[in-house]
Amino acid sequence: MALVKMSRILEWAQENNCAAGAFSVGNMEMVIGAVRAAEEANTPIILQIAEKRLKQSPLDLMAPMMVSAAKNASVPVAVHLDHGLTMDCIRQALSYGFTSVMLDASLLPFEENIAMTKAVKAEAATFGATVEAELGVVGGNEGDTAKHEILCTDPDKAKIFCEETQVDCLAVAIGNAHGNYPVLPSLRFDVLEEIDKTVDTPLVLHGGTGITPEMFRKAISLGIRKINIATASFDALANAAKAYTADVESPDYFTLSPKMADAVYENVKKHIGIFRNQ
Ligand code: 13P
C-alpha cells in the first residue's frame, strides 16, 4: 500500500530540500508511465487531474485507476485533485479516496478565497486529506478556462491567508503560467523569496512546462516543495502517437499504447531528476 497523504510527500520534500513532482494524467497510459518513472527513480510522486479535465477523462473512471495505481506502487504516491473549482467535485474526489485536493478560488476576492479554503479544509479533514489553495493569479489557462493575466502573490496577504486557513500548501503566482510559454518567462524570484521568508507553509509552483532546470533549482532553494507538470506530458503522449501513426501504414493500438506510456515515462523521469536536484 503506497497511497499516501500529500502532506507526507511534502514533508519528504522539505526534509530532502527538493520538490515533489505533481504529474497530471488523463488516461491509463499516462498513469502507467508516471508511476513507472517514480518507481525506477525510487521517488515519491503526486498523480493529479484537474476538474476542468474531467470532461475528457471522467472522475468515476480516472479515480479508481489513479488510486489503484498508487496503492500498488512500490513508492509513496499521493492522488490529488488539481484546480478544484466546486465543492461538489472536491467532495467526490475525497470520497473516491484522493488523498489531497486543491481549491482554486484565486479569482475570487481575498476574503472569499479564505472562507472557501476554510470550508474545504474542514471537509478534507473528515477524510484526513491534504489541502492546497492558490493566492494571486497564475497565468495561461487550465482546461478550457479563459486565459488569465498574471497577478503576483502578495507576501503579506500570503501570511494572513496561511495563518487564517491553515492550508497545507500554497500555490503562488510569480510570473508562471499554464501551457507552453511563448517565450521563457522571467520568474519573480524576489517575490518568491519574500513569500518564503513570510510564511512557513510549503509552496507550490504551477505551470512547470517550459521552465528551465536552473529556474526549477532556484525556485526549490526558495521554498517550492511541489511542482506541477501537465502540458509537457500531454504533448509527449500526443507527439509519440503522431510519430508512430505517421510511420506505419496500419497503426495498431497495442503497439501505440506502450509508446504513449513510454513518452510520459521519459518526461516524468526527466522532471523527477531535476526536482531532486540530481
Ligand atoms: P503546465 O501545463 O504548464 O505544465 O502546468 C501544469 C499545472 O500547473 C497544472 O495545474
Side-chain angles (χ1 to χ4, degrees):
M1 278 272 284
L3 175 68
V4 299
K5 291 184 195 177
M6 191 168 81
S7 53
R8 242 186 81 186
I9 297 186
L10 294 169
E11 281 160 22
W12 165 86
Q14 183 75 36
E15 281 157 19
N16 289 277
N17 215 5
C18 66
F23 298 99
S24 298
V25 292
N27 67 9
M28 180 188 72
E29 284 80 6
M30 297 186 85
V31 173
I32 289 174
V35 171
R36 176 151 56 93
E39 286 181 325
E40 268 185 31
N42 197 20
T43 298
I45 58 162
I46 298 152
L47 284 181
Q48 65 181 16
I49 187 161
E51 180 170 343
K52 282 285 176 188
R53 299 292 180 198
L54 300 177
K55 259 192 236 159
Q56 293 87 4
S57 312
L59 190 62
D60 62 332
L61 302 179
M62 290 301 296
M65 183 164 59
M66 292 164 76
V67 169
S68 169
K71 283 183 177 167
N72 293 331
S74 61
V75 290
V77 178
V79 177
H80 174 69
L81 178 72
D82 188 29
H83 292 282
L85 300 168
T86 59
M87 192 56 119
D88 192 36
C89 185
I90 286 171
R91 281 201 189 105
Q92 278 180 39
L94 290 168
S95 42
Y96 275 119
F98 277 40
T99 55
S100 174
V101 288
M102 175 189 185
L103 167 73
D104 181 354
S106 59
L107 296 177
L108 295 182
F110 185 60
E111 293 301 337
E112 282 178 48
N113 191 350
I114 288 182
M116 272 190 81
T117 304
K118 279 184 174 172
V120 170
K121 262 296 275 186
E123 187 71 25
T126 64
F127 293 85
T130 309
V131 175
E132 174 180 338
E134 180 173 321
L135 193 62
V137 180
V138 171
N141 59 351
E142 177 62 37
D144 57 2
T145 49
K147 270 201 184 342
H148 304 305
E149 290 304 318
I150 295 168
L151 178 65
C152 278
T153 306
D154 176 333
D156 295 328
K157 281 190 169 171
K159 182 177 162 60
I160 299 168
F161 187 89
C162 291
E163 281 173 1
E164 287 210 17
T165 62
Q166 292 296 307
V167 74
D168 301 293
C169 56
L170 181 70
V172 293
I174 54 164
N176 46 322
H178 295 112
N180 287 306
Y181 293 96
V183 290
L184 189 65
S186 303
L187 295 186
R188 292 287 306 272
F189 289 117
D190 55 330
V191 174
L192 181 58
E193 192 168 3
E194 277 309 305
I195 300 169
D196 188 36
K197 274 191 206 147
T198 322
V199 304
D200 292 333
T201 310
L203 304 176
V204 181
L205 184 69
H206 282 239
T209 297
I211 290 181
T212 64
E214 295 69 33
M215 291 162 95
F216 281 133
R217 289 189 187 108
K218 175 92 180 157
I220 292 167
S221 77
L222 296 172
I224 293 291
R225 295 288 166 248
K226 169 178 180 273
I227 301 177
N228 287 7
I229 300 288
T231 305
S233 284
F234 289 113
D235 286 356
L237 180 147
N239 285 326
K242 185 178 171 196
Y244 167 62
T245 50
D247 254 13
V248 291
E249 210 159 288
S250 310
D252 75 279
Y253 171 74
F254 303 100
T255 309
L256 173 63
S257 172
K259 286 187 186 298
M260 294 193 292
D262 285 352
V264 174
Y265 158 83
E266 291 296 343
N267 180 54
V268 171
K269 187 169 110 174
K270 178 182 86 180
H271 283 98
I272 285 177
I274 299 168
F275 300 164
R276 288 203 67 172
N277 293 312
Q278 285 166 347

